[in-house]
């Protein structure tokens, strides 16, 4: 199971109007520890940033599943509530989890999520879908090399 860490990268970015501005951008990385997450995001960002940059924060994110869509340029958090029935007591139990969906707009985020959930046997409800500020998601692929997915 993947462990996800949100890393905020702080650096000076050339804006479209030609002015340099200090920015802090969030990225998500798949890593085993905080130390590995910081090392991975440093490795991933080095080719894209000229000059110095720093990792401002690293925090663990509880993401149950990620639905990728290469045509999407935004990331949406989908809070999902799974509904199960306790057979002994007959009481409905609700368990929430957060999933991430890559899409180009809210409607395609919903569509991509529903497509990804097609084979799910459990009953679920969507509690919320919110666009995140995430710039990109970096997951570890099976060969041990990182894969950029966004």
């Amino acid at each position: 199971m993947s462990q996800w860490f949100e890393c905020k990268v702080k650096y000076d970015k050339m804006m479209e109007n030609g002015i340099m501005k200090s920015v802090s951008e969030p990225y998500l990385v798949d890593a085993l520890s905080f130390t590995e997450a910081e090392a991975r995001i440093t490795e991933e960002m080095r080719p894209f940033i000229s000059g110095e940059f720093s990792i401002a924060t690293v925090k663990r994110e509880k993401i149950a599943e990620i639905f990728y869509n290469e045509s999407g340029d935004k990331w949406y958090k989908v809070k999902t509530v799974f509904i199960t029935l306790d057979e002994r007591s007959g009481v409905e139990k609700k368990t929430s989890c957060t999933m991430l969906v890559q899409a180009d707009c809210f409607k395609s985020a919903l569509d991509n999520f529903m497509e990804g959930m097609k084979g799910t046997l459990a009953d679920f409800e969507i509690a919320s879908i919110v666009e995140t500020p995430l710039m990109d998601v970096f997951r570890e692929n099976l060969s041990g090399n990182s894969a950029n997915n966004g």
Side-chain angles (χ1 to χ4, degrees):
M1 184 171 156
S2 295
Q3 286 191 63
W4 295 100
F5 293 86
E6 181 181 293
C7 303
K8 286 204 176 162
V9 179
K10 193 171 190 172
Y11 67 100
D12 291 332
K13 182 177 187 176
M14 179 69 73
M15 305 311 285
E16 290 180 13
N17 61 7
I19 296 174
M20 291 294 277
K21 182 179 177 186
S22 183
V23 295
S24 181
E25 296 177 337
Y27 295 85
L28 200 66
V29 295
D30 182 8
L32 298 173
S33 66
F34 286 90
T35 305
E36 183 186 349
E38 186 171 354
R40 291 243 6 257
I41 195 62
T42 300
E43 174 189 327
E44 295 288 355
M45 297 309 296
R46 188 168 280 127
F48 302 107
I49 299 175
S50 60
E52 293 188 26
F53 65 94
S54 64
I55 311 306
T57 62
V58 177
K59 68 178 184 175
R60 184 171 275 132
E61 284 289 322
K62 201 169 186 175
I63 306 289
E65 181 128 12
I66 297 181
F67 299 108
Y68 298 95
N69 181 340
E70 295 302 318
S71 66
D73 61 348
K74 297 175 187 167
W75 292 93
Y76 293 84
K77 265 189 187 173
V78 181
K79 184 176 178 187
T80 309
V81 179
F82 287 96
I83 303 160
T84 55
L85 187 63
D86 184 323
E87 291 183 19
R88 278 187 267 162
S89 65
V91 176
E92 243 184 32
K93 181 182 176 190
K94 294 185 176 187
T95 308
S96 17
C97 70
T98 302
M99 300 188 197
L100 207 58
V101 179
Q102 186 178 18
D104 58 357
C105 67
F106 181 88
K107 182 181 180 330
S108 63
L110 176 60
D111 294 343
N112 294 348
F113 175 77
M114 293 307 287
E115 180 66 28
M117 295 297 285
K118 253 186 186 169
T120 305
L121 298 176
D123 290 334
F124 67 90
E125 296 174 350
I126 297 172
S128 66
I129 300 177
V130 179
E131 183 179 341
T132 73
L134 287 174
M135 301 300 290
D136 210 344
V137 173
F138 300 100
R139 67 177 168 179
E140 193 70 26
N141 68 19
L142 298 176
S143 67
N145 299 322
S146 63
N148 176 335
N149 295 297

